[in-house]
Amino acid sequence: YNLSMISMKPLFGWLAYRNIPLKELSEKSGIGYPTLLNMRKNNSFTVRNLDKICTTLNVNIKDIMRYEG
């Protein structure tokens, strides 16, 4: 399965636009900093972590990821 078709670029663009450091997202969401770094590289991630991010940032899933098929 190729995860490169699912992009987390919108999340990191959203964070940059709002000047929210990855470390802050890690602390507020409870997601480990290394896990967020892996997500930035489009490595595997869990639905649970996506849910934590959406809840922490008060966004919809479509705001933080996109399909690039």
Side-chain angles (χ1 to χ4, degrees), residues 5-10 61-62 64-69:
M5 297 176 86
I6 298 172
S7 173
M8 297 303 296
K9 288 179 186 175
I61 193 74
K62 66 184 169 85
I64 64 166
M65 63 187 301
R66 72 174 170 251
Y67 181 74
E68 297 181 341

Side-chain angles (χ1 to χ4, degrees), residues 11-41:
L11 168 63
F12 298 102
W14 193 98
L15 292 171
Y17 181 76
R18 288 161 181 81
N19 295 315
I20 299 173
L22 216 50
K23 196 75 166 168
E24 182 179 334
L25 177 59
S26 173
E27 291 166 0
K28 289 184 176 182
S29 67
I31 300 170
Y33 185 73
T35 299
L36 291 173
L37 290 176
N38 280 330
M39 289 177 80
R40 177 181 278 169
K41 297 175 189 172

Side-chain angles (χ1 to χ4, degrees), residues 37-52:
L37 290 176
N38 280 330
M39 289 177 80
R40 177 181 278 169
K41 297 175 189 172
N42 275 346
N43 290 339
S44 65
F45 46 83
T46 65
V47 173
R48 176 173 285 144
N49 284 340
L50 293 175
D51 181 59
K52 286 180 180 181

